[in-house]
Amino acid sequence: MKAPRALTIVTAVAALLSACTPTPDANGDDSRGDETGDGDGDGDGDGDGDGDGDGDGDGDGDGEDCLEDEECESPNAPYCIDFQCQGCDGGPAEYCSSNNEDTPACSEAGTCVQCTADAAQACEGTTPTCDEEQNICVACSAHSDCEDSACNYETGACFSSDAVYYVDNGNCPGGAGTSDDPYCTIGEAVMQIGAGEQGVVVVQGGGAPYGEAVVLNNKTVALLGVDTPLIEPDNTNALVSSNGSLSFLAGLVLQTGGNSGHGIDVIAATTYADDCAVKSAKSGGIRADGSSVLVMRGGEVSGNEGIGVAGGDGEVVLDRVVVHDNDGGGLSGSDLTITNCAVGLNGSSNAAVFGLNLAGSGTADIRYSTFVDNGMASEFTCALGATLEVRNSVLARDGGVVG
């Protein structure tokens, strides 16, 4: 008897499906025709389906991402470490320093840089401090940038920590000039710095005034106050910087007793004064004459019997300084740059100088400053030929704003 036609067709289809459906092989998968049994059907055993046999998809057959840094294009993984593109933090701690001494630190971004907050060993010489935002070594700009030392603003380098001397007049007759056994007088410390040499003198305040004049002659000195020490000699200048000296003053109060003397006298020298007070000096607050340069940032010049700041032919730069109640007037000179300053209540009925006196052919640039109630006449007096530029500033007298 012949089988029904319908049954014959069903049997044939079943046989065809059985022939097309793989059965598990010795590997326990269904990858018949895939000799390696990884299930991707390409026969190379790496499971990536590309048939190149290396498993990393680049077709070189090595199973590696890279052989050299140039092959790593991602900014987050720019280095070839252990044949893989990754950041410097993927390598050993000394990875950056061992590859390039100019960029020895590993940044949070995974790139080798000059420095970080925790690794600034490459920062030295005239770039001793680390700009943590840009991860580059830069010049110092504040004394706090130089641990156990001070900043030379002109070179950008830190003073050597081997030439730092300490003074405390509460430790008289004085010791060896160390922090534990300081000198008694400022003069003793300054004497340790020879002509043409550099050094730092740290002066402790909080006690009796230092009744001595400080003389800096042909040397580079940072004179740093702790607890605002008062330097107050009688009948002489409190501090003299002369003969090419370069001085950096910070945190000091300078005034004079007796009948004469300036708080600071700069003669053919350059002086930077940060957050200092020059007050009650008998001959005037600050004098910077001849080829001198005075840069004062922060602090005040007040209560002096002469002019607050007399620039003469020198260059005077004031930033964030308050100049007030000086009997001889506020400011005078021929090369003045005044920024963010307040100048007020200077001069008297007998004063020839009031707010500012600009000498013949001189220049003054005044920005973001206030001049108020200086003397009995105008805020500014300018000689014929002088150039005065005032921007974003206020000039006022008791009757109201005048300019």
Side-chain angles (χ1 to χ4, degrees):
M1 174 186 288
K2 293 183 178 180
R5 182 176 179 81
L7 178 60
T8 300
I9 294 174
V10 170
T11 302
V13 170
L16 180 61
L17 290 176
S18 176
C20 293
T21 302
T23 57
D25 59 14
N27 296 306
D29 62 21
D30 60 357
S31 55
R32 297 186 67 85
D34 180 350
E35 296 178 359
T36 61
D38 60 10
D40 62 7
D42 62 9
D44 63 3
D46 58 15
D48 62 8
D50 60 8
D52 62 7
D54 64 2
D56 60 10
D58 61 8
D60 58 10
D62 58 10
E64 301 160 352
D65 279 349
C66 59
L67 293 177
E68 54 187 19
D69 292 349
E70 287 72 12
E71 299 177 46
C72 300
E73 299 179 355
S74 170
N76 298 320
Y79 309 110
C80 186
I81 303 174
D82 295 333
F83 306 108
Q84 301 295 320
C85 290
Q86 52 188 310
C88 53
D89 50 355
E94 67 279 3
Y95 175 78
C96 289
S97 59
S98 62
N99 281 275
N100 189 339
E101 62 180 10
D102 294 329
T103 54
C106 184
S107 71
E108 292 183 357
T111 57
C112 292
V113 294
Q114 276 192 316
C115 63
T116 65
D118 299 323
Q121 64 267 29
C123 298
E124 56 187 4
T126 56
T127 55
T129 188
C130 183
D131 183 327
E132 296 175 16
E133 292 185 1
Q134 300 186 60
N135 296 119
I136 59 174
C137 297
V138 297
C140 63
S141 59
H143 297 309
S144 58
D145 291 335
C146 302
E147 186 177 1
D148 300 324
S149 181
C151 178
N152 184 324
Y153 299 145
E154 300 222 329
T155 66
C158 294
F159 283 77
S160 171
S161 58
D162 294 332
V164 179
Y165 309 98
Y166 293 84
V167 178
D168 186 349
N169 61 2
N171 190 52
C172 295
T178 63
S179 58
D180 294 330
D181 191 18
Y183 292 123
C184 173
T185 67
I186 300 171
E188 288 178 275
V190 171
M191 285 178 60
Q192 309 307 311
I193 307 168
E197 295 181 351
Q198 303 184 19
V200 179
V201 177
V202 181
V203 184
Q204 179 64 50
Y210 289 83
E212 59 180 306
V214 179
V215 179
L216 308 177
N217 182 32
N218 187 27
K219 56 186 67 179
T220 299
V221 178
L223 193 63
L224 311 181
V226 177
D227 297 331
T228 56
L230 170 60
I231 300 173
E232 187 182 19
D234 284 339
N235 299 313
T236 188
N237 299 317
L239 183 142
V240 177
S241 181
S242 64
N243 193 22
S245 285
L246 175 58
S247 56
F248 304 91
L249 316 178
L252 305 172
V253 179
L254 301 112
Q255 62 187 54
T256 63
N259 300 312
S260 64
H262 289 86
I264 299 175
D265 197 9
V266 188
I267 307 168
T270 298
T271 294
Y272 291 80
D274 294 339
D275 300 313
C276 291
V278 182
K279 56 202 306 186
S280 303
K282 307 307 178 183
S283 300
I286 302 174
R287 180 172 63 181
D289 215 345
S291 58
S292 297
V293 177
L294 168 72
V295 180
M296 186 172 186
R297 299 177 293 192
E300 67 172 308
V301 181
S302 64
N304 298 288
E305 293 187 12
I307 299 171
V309 180
D313 295 329
E315 177 185 355
V316 174
V317 178
L318 303 181
D319 182 16
R320 296 171 288 109
V321 178
V322 179
V323 182
H324 68 94
D325 292 292
N326 298 287
D327 290 345
L331 311 170
S332 70
S334 60
D335 187 354
L336 304 167
T337 302
I338 313 299
T339 308
N340 296 312
C341 291
V343 182
L345 305 175
N346 295 289
S348 66
S349 58
N350 298 319
V353 177
F354 298 143
L356 178 146
N357 180 44
L358 186 57
S361 301
T363 61
D365 186 358
I366 300 173
R367 305 183 189 189
Y368 309 108
S369 296
T370 299
F371 284 72
V372 59
D373 283 341
N374 290 289
M376 302 297 293
S378 61
E379 294 297 320
F380 301 146
T381 59
C382 300
L384 185 64
T387 301
L388 172 64
E389 185 171 356
V390 182
R391 287 180 283 179
N392 300 306
S393 297
V394 174
L395 312 180
R397 301 193 68 77
D398 189 39
V401 176
V402 297

